[in-house]
Amino acid sequence: LQSQAVDLVLMFVIAAAMVGHSLRYRSQVVTSLAFLLAFVTVGISGVTLFSLVAGALLAAGLVYITARQYWYELGICGLVGVYLNHFLWLHRVLPDGASPSHPFAQFLPSAALLLFYWLLFRLAYVFRIPRDHRQEVLASLTAVLNSVGLMSLLKYQSSHPEWAFWGLLVLGAAEMVLAFVARPRFRTAFIVLSSIASVLLLAAVPFRFTGSNWTFFWLLEAEILFLAGVQLHERVFNRLGMLAGFAVALKLIIADAASIFTLRQQHPDTAHHFAIALTFLCAAALLWFNAEFAPRRWSFTASEDLDRTAFVITSYLAALMALLGLWILFPASWTVIAWLALLLLLGQVADKLSSSTLATQADLLALATIMRTVGVNLQSTEHLGRISLRAITVILASALFYLGTRRKTRGLGLTRDYVPASYSWVASALLSALAWYELEPIAVAVVWGIFALVLFELGHGLRRNYLRYQAYALLAASFIRIFFANLNVDSTHLFGPRLYTVVPLIAAYLWIYYRGTSNSEQSKLDQHAATISAWVATVAAASLTYFEVRAAWVAIAWAALALLLIIVGQMLRRSLFVAQSLALLLAAAARELLFNMFSTPSLASTTTTSRVFCVGLTCALMFSA
């Protein structure tokens, strides 16, 4: 036909006839074929904006029939046909889509038609309630496809990207209004449309704001959704708020945290990045509020298993946001101090709320802090004035770990009170490692011994077994250490570093023995540790004499020590010292046989180092023993 007006009128008549035909015979198959032919006719002809109006009339007839007859399969096919025909027209007019800032003469009529299509199908979805579950699923799928088709084609023809924010904002608000219109009669439509509205409102923000600002608006929108659900007693909004929070967290991790991590891997970065760090910390605070406070204040928000699981995930996500935010705000060696301050705060709140979830987060944060301290702080060579930054941060970290032992609430689903022992072990280990890194090699064992005595006495005074066990471990480490660092030191003086570093350790071992045997109510472990300490003291004394006296006099010194031990054993009535005396007598005898008999000179050459003098004096001491 030459006249498009006549063509449009005829098309309208045909659409009306199709409606009448379908209503009379109630055949979805015949009606589907008729509409299929109609849409194909529009598609294969020279598609113009005028013919798209005819397509709109087809869509109106289709929506009316599907809504009246509950033919939801036909509704999906019709929706695809409407948007597909419009895309074919756009593709002919704009083969590669519209270019930003380049005018598209038919932009407004095209956008108006797309909005008309969307409104037709959306009103049918809101005001027509399906009869069964299958129809409900098909109707919801049609609603989602309706939004996808509208957004896709608006994006394809968009020559004004500056309008995207307002367009998404208005569409999101319209979807939310329609959701509340559908809420009294069709809950599924309320859920679907409010979800679509939330996505559109969140998607609008990046088109208007840049940097960290739009993430703040995302956080605000997510919290508004959550609080709206609280006020309306509507779990859908609670869940949408939590999902929006997950989206914010994902964006922060992938975009912001990853970029700062890359920056700090490439070169040292001491910047605090306040805006990004504040965004992370605000996200953590809001997520913790939603996960920990809201379910206790408004119990209906956690009435289902799905919601309770989501709250737990949200709480852990909040901990991750806080950890990353503090890492960004406090770079380098100060990160662990900030993390431990957060650990103490989590412990306090966990005790107040009796929250095992927060207690578990504190334990996981402690593990992260340990790895960070070992990997970064103990390896640091920076100085704050004349003081090593490593010493400052590790001492502070150890003190905070000791404070963390006060937490009462257990995490990880454990029933045993593991917090005081585990946290104090970590603190003691960090201080011991700091001594290894900061002190001269010869001083490490001495400091370990002094620290062990402090822990031992605290363990006795406070009745904390784990502190005494830490003391035993440190004493064992100091004993092993002296063979690698202390006894091998060159010493030309009578009272050299070898003597004044090993003798205090021998005294410490003997003190542990004395304290361990002075109370008959000591545990079996403490009694065994006392016995081992006495043997360790004897071995250390024998080793010291081996290095301090002349080679020819080693057996004499051991025999003299054996005599002293058997005298002490007789005076104290302790068979332990008798056993040690026998062991030293055997060592002295072996030394005489293997060394003095063959390596020492004869009596003619020298007196005090001769074979006769050394063996004779040793034997005299043995007879005395």
Side-chain angles (χ1 to χ4, degrees), residues 62-318:
L62 177 78
V63 168
Y64 176 75
I65 292 173
T66 55
R68 177 163 178 167
Q69 301 297 326
Y70 294 92
W71 291 343
Y72 288 98
E73 294 88 346
L74 178 59
I76 294 178
C77 297
L79 183 140
V80 173
V82 167
Y83 284 113
L84 182 60
N85 274 344
H86 200 98
F87 170 73
L88 292 175
W89 172 70
L90 284 176
H91 188 65
R92 292 173 184 174
V93 177
L94 305 166
D96 299 319
S99 301
S101 303
H102 286 74
F104 168 35
Q106 296 168 314
F107 174 83
L108 291 178
S110 175
L113 275 175
L114 289 173
L115 292 173
F116 176 73
Y117 301 152
W118 167 80
L119 187 60
L120 274 176
F121 287 98
R122 186 63 82 238
L123 291 176
Y125 179 59
V126 169
F127 292 103
R128 203 57 166 175
I129 303 175
R131 293 172 173 170
D132 54 38
H133 179 69
R134 184 184 64 83
Q135 291 182 357
E136 186 176 309
V137 172
L138 291 173
S140 299
L141 178 60
T142 305
V144 174
L145 291 177
N146 189 17
S147 295
V148 171
L150 174 67
M151 292 295 104
S152 301
L153 293 183
L154 284 178
K155 173 63 178 174
Y156 187 78
Q157 71 169 29
S158 175
S159 58
H160 296 281
E162 68 277 7
W163 294 357
F165 169 75
W166 295 108
L168 291 171
L169 196 65
V170 171
L171 281 173
E175 294 279 18
M176 191 64 76
V177 170
L178 291 172
F180 276 94
V181 170
R183 187 186 181 199
R185 63 176 69 88
F186 187 13
R187 180 164 179 77
T188 302
F190 169 72
I191 295 173
V192 172
L193 295 182
S194 59
S195 302
I196 293 173
S198 302
V199 171
L200 293 176
L201 292 173
L202 288 173
V205 174
F207 288 97
R208 184 73 174 182
F209 304 96
T210 57
S212 299
N213 297 329
W214 67 271
T215 313
F216 272 111
F217 279 96
W218 265 25
L219 280 173
L220 180 61
E221 288 187 24
E223 195 60 21
I224 289 173
L225 282 171
F226 185 85
L227 294 177
V230 170
Q231 294 298 319
L232 297 172
H233 285 250
E234 183 57 71
R235 286 196 298 271
V236 173
F237 285 132
N238 295 140
R239 293 169 182 174
L240 288 173
M242 285 190 284
L243 287 173
F246 293 160
V248 173
L250 190 63
K251 183 266 174 186
L252 288 172
I253 294 171
I254 294 176
D256 299 298
S259 63
I260 294 177
F261 178 79
T262 303
L263 176 65
R264 290 180 175 176
Q265 288 294 106
Q266 293 173 349
H267 55 79
D269 173 41
T270 58
H272 299 287
H273 306 280
F274 286 105
I276 298 176
L278 184 61
T279 307
F280 272 93
L281 296 177
C282 287
L286 291 177
L287 291 175
W288 263 322
F289 172 83
N290 295 346
E292 297 296 334
F293 177 77
R296 291 172 170 82
R297 176 65 177 80
W298 303 287
S299 58
F300 70 90
T301 59
S303 57
E304 296 185 7
D305 290 338
L306 177 63
D307 296 312
R308 287 191 288 271
T309 303
F311 281 131
V312 172
I313 296 173
T314 301
S315 185
Y316 279 100
L317 194 59

Side-chain angles (χ1 to χ4, degrees), residues 479-522:
F479 173 69
I480 296 172
R481 175 72 179 175
I482 62 175
F483 291 96
F484 294 93
N486 297 69
L487 295 176
N488 293 322
V489 174
D490 292 332
S491 179
T492 57
H493 302 288
L494 180 61
F495 296 101
R498 181 163 50 208
L499 193 65
Y500 63 70
T501 58
V502 177
V503 169
L505 289 174
I506 296 173
Y509 304 146
L510 292 174
W511 175 256
I512 296 296
Y513 169 76
Y514 167 73
R515 292 283 283 160
T517 56
S518 60
N519 187 356
S520 59
E521 297 180 357
Q522 295 285 353

